[in-house]
Amino acid sequence: MRTGTIGRGLGLATALAALITGFSMAPASAGRAVPDRASPAAVAAPAAFTHPGVLVSRPQLDFVRDKVQAGAQPWKSAYDQMMGSKYASLTRTAKPRAVVECGSYSDPNYGCTDEREDAIAAYTLSLAWYITQDSRYAQKAVEIMDAWSAVIKDHTNSNAPLQTGWAGSSWPRAAEIIKYTYSSWPNAGRFSTMLRDVYLPKVINGSNSNGNWELSMTEAAIGISVFLEDRTSYDKAVSTFRGRVPAYIYLTSDGALPKTAPGSGLDTREKIINYWQGQSTFMDGLSQETCRDLTHTGYGLSAISHIAETSRIQGEDLYPEIADRLRHALGLHAKYQLGEAVPSSLCGGSLKDNLGPVTEVGFNALHNRMGIAMTNTQTLTEQRRPAGTDNLFVAWETLTHADNPG
């Protein structure tokens, strides 16, 4: 499994200094750093959290159920795809472990795949429950969540933060639907304790690794905070998000070089270009990982969309703040996924891998709700429907978010 790489060209002393002084270091020119005064401001979590409210809301779920029951497309085919997957199986047996150990590229893989896939299964089953109202699906989702909450104590090895972020993004989606739409979950409190004690500490303080790490970790922190109704953690996660998105997606208005995340230690032109995979020509929508590969870029863009979607449900809509960056990023990468020749100025004229099933949430929000023209993203999204799962933390988003006004 490909993952981020920690500590590429980061100066610990500079990072600590930036954290202490409360600003990031944004370069003005080679070898010279100046403070970036636009560091993220403190924010207030909602006075009352909305439930279910992690990635999908009750109005969104009602919309999906109505479309599926009517046999409307693309929702019916997306539903059939989900129900035909291994994640919807009523005979699934959870495989919890006390310690999930994940090294770089998930090697060693002691429970990494099992945990991620059980979390996706719990979410899948919760969606199946809501759409069908067949209690067997809710009971199976509860069984899986209970199995893990009774056993897991820690995540270890180098990929522990990312692994926790991936699984920790899926668990709250499932838990929100079950807790607030199903009548019986006696061990919900134990599941809350698991999220609070095992998952949240691993993700809430962020990461100075590649941006997809911190964005996935922040997505988990946001979702867990909603489920726990933890306003302090929610505030902290939103602040991290506001610092990271401008440092992950470039706009020409940023200047000659990309912005840097608070505490990153990226205080020279050389360090920044190294962090951006050696890319020294910047364009609207370029991501910090574009020249690494499109798969990791897709992880980052997906997490950004998920976080913004949850914030919108919670009444503090972050989409307007990141809309310009996200629309350019989706459009730029969609264009090349659709076959346009890559110029030599972009990653040496070659892009690797594939974005994955990651465009539905952002496209629905920016195009359908906000009215932004997104021709390339629309073409790619519609060509690839129904969007399935990446088996990590993205699942069934044609079903849940295609043309969804909720």
Side-chain angles (χ1 to χ4, degrees):
M1 188 63 60
R2 293 187 176 95
T3 56
T5 304
I6 297 179
R8 179 178 294 175
L10 303 183
L12 179 59
T14 306
L16 291 172
L19 286 170
I20 292 168
T21 56
F23 52 74
S24 66
M25 302 300 290
S29 59
R32 182 167 61 89
V34 296
D36 178 1
R37 298 298 181 184
S39 41
V43 296
F49 286 95
T50 298
H51 303 290
V54 175
L55 188 60
V56 289
S57 65
R58 189 183 294 268
Q60 288 174 302
L61 291 167
D62 288 340
F63 172 87
V64 171
R65 183 166 63 192
D66 289 347
K67 291 296 185 182
V68 170
Q69 290 177 348
Q73 297 296 354
W75 305 276
K76 181 59 167 61
S77 61
Y79 169 78
D80 291 342
Q81 175 195 46
M82 180 184 81
M83 296 303 286
S85 76
K86 63 183 178 180
Y87 298 112
S89 172
L90 288 170
T91 61
R92 185 181 189 86
T93 300
K95 298 178 180 179
R97 295 176 64 97
V99 177
V100 174
E101 181 179 354
C102 306
S104 180
Y105 292 81
S106 291
D107 181 16
N109 182 340
Y110 298 134
C112 315
T113 301
D114 291 338
E115 179 188 31
R116 293 192 305 264
E117 294 194 351
D118 277 347
I120 290 174
Y123 176 53
T124 302
L125 292 157
S126 72
L127 289 172
W129 142 250
Y130 198 90
I131 293 168
T132 66
Q133 294 295 288
D134 183 338
S135 63
R136 293 178 301 165
Y137 293 108
Q139 290 162 6
K140 179 57 72 169
V142 167
E143 177 187 309
I144 292 170
M145 291 189 286
D146 282 354
W148 278 91
S149 70
V151 172
I152 190 166
K153 301 298 181 187
D154 199 10
H155 297 84
T156 64
N157 214 320
S158 59
N159 261 30
L162 182 60
Q163 171 73 20
T164 309
W166 280 340
S169 293
S170 297
W171 287 129
R173 298 176 203 159
E176 281 279 299
I177 294 172
I178 296 300
K179 182 175 180 179
Y180 292 99
T181 73
Y182 184 60
S183 59
S184 178
W185 187 11
N187 291 315
R190 188 177 74 197
F191 192 83
S192 295
T193 299
M194 177 192 81
L195 293 181
R196 181 181 296 108
D197 294 349
V198 179
Y199 288 81
L200 190 58
K202 279 285 196 298
V203 297
I204 191 61
N205 292 317
S207 165
N208 285 326
S209 180
N210 284 303
N212 83 87
W213 274 56
E214 184 157 78
L215 289 162
S216 291
M217 292 165 66
T218 303
E219 180 185 348
I222 289 273
I224 290 168
S225 297
V226 170
F227 186 70
L228 297 178
E229 298 197 327
D230 184 337
R231 301 181 79 250
T232 300
S233 292
Y234 187 94
D235 286 351
K236 185 171 184 177
V238 170
S239 182
T240 300
F241 177 78
R242 283 177 159 152
R244 172 56 73 172
V245 174
Y248 193 69
I249 301 172
Y250 175 81
L251 291 178
T252 55
S253 58
D254 294 338
L257 291 170
K259 291 180 178 291
T260 58
S264 69
L266 300 174
D267 54 0
T268 68
R269 182 178 187 275
E270 180 183 10
K271 288 180 182 179
I272 290 171
I273 289 174
N274 182 54
Y275 184 60
W276 282 67
Q277 321 300 324
Q279 178 73 7
S280 59
T281 301
F282 302 98
M283 61 207 69
D284 282 331
L286 184 75
S287 94
Q288 180 256 318
E289 295 183 277
T290 301
C291 295
R292 181 186 186 191
D293 59 65
L294 295 182
T295 301
H296 285 88
T297 298
Y299 299 162
L301 300 184
S302 183
I304 290 169
S305 301
H306 294 167
I307 292 164
E309 190 73 4
T310 295
S311 77
R312 185 191 64 83
I313 294 167
Q314 296 305 322
E316 182 193 6
D317 192 348
L318 294 170
Y319 276 119
E321 297 181 25
I322 55 95
D324 208 31
R325 293 183 191 275
L326 184 58
R327 76 177 180 90
H328 279 296
L330 289 172
L332 178 73
H333 297 90
K335 176 171 65 175
Y336 297 117
Q337 287 281 268
L338 290 168
E340 182 163 322
V342 181
S344 60
S345 59
L346 176 59
C347 310
S350 176
L351 295 174
K352 294 189 298 183
D353 298 343
N354 191 288
L355 276 180
V358 304
T359 61
E360 288 278 15
V361 176
F363 173 70
N364 184 54
L366 300 180
H367 178 71
N368 294 327
R369 295 197 193 109
M370 299 178 70
I372 299 171
M374 301 176 71
T375 304
N376 289 324
T377 305
Q378 181 170 1
T379 300
L380 182 67
T381 301
E382 292 177 351
Q383 277 187 7
R384 295 192 168 185
R385 285 178 174 166
T389 176
D390 67 358
N391 303 305
L392 300 173
F393 72 110
V394 179
W396 324 125
E397 293 180 357
T398 296
L399 177 65
T400 56
H401 288 84
D403 301 331
N404 195 324

